[in-house]
Amino acid sequence: MKYMLMIYEDEKTYGTSAQGDPMNRILEKHMAYTEKLGKAYAGGAGLKGTAAATTVRTVGGSKTVHDGPFAETKEQLGGYYLIDVPDLDAAIAVARDVPLRKDGSIEIRPVMGG
């Protein structure tokens, strides 16, 4: 079964740019982690910061376009893994090992039709 693991962290822990030592160190950890996943790895990527986000919002049938994410939160979606594992317990085991720089969370969701 396929699951998406969504990585939420405070993007401020990486500084104002997506470069430098904190980012390089976490990228190295994610590259090693991806190799460790082996056949369970079905895809994934990091995302640019919320400053690069655009949101299309629909209210009452009217669509508006806004800069930035829809909601201001303490943690931002920074990347994701798509995994193919037997069940939720296996997905939880995989999610427990996702590298984080500091505090954060990994949201696990089954993929429809997965």
Side-chain angles (χ1 to χ4, degrees), residues 51-75:
T54 302
T55 300
V56 177
R57 182 161 168 74
T58 303
V59 176
S62 178
K63 297 187 185 294
T64 56
V65 178
H66 305 271
D67 291 335
F70 170 66
E72 301 248 347
T73 61
K74 292 182 181 182
E75 296 177 342

Side-chain angles (χ1 to χ4, degrees), residues 37-104:
L37 285 174
K39 290 183 178 186
Y41 180 75
L47 301 173
K48 292 190 177 190
T50 56
T54 302
T55 300
V56 177
R57 182 161 168 74
T58 303
V59 176
S62 178
K63 297 187 185 294
T64 56
V65 178
H66 305 271
D67 291 335
F70 170 66
E72 301 248 347
T73 61
K74 292 182 181 182
E75 296 177 342
Q76 294 77 39
L77 178 60
Y80 66 94
Y81 283 95
L82 182 62
I83 59 171
D84 193 351
V85 294
D87 54 33
L88 179 58
D89 288 337
I92 291 170
V94 170
R96 287 180 182 274
D97 291 334
V98 172
L100 296 174
R101 176 148 164 33
K102 292 190 178 183
D103 295 336

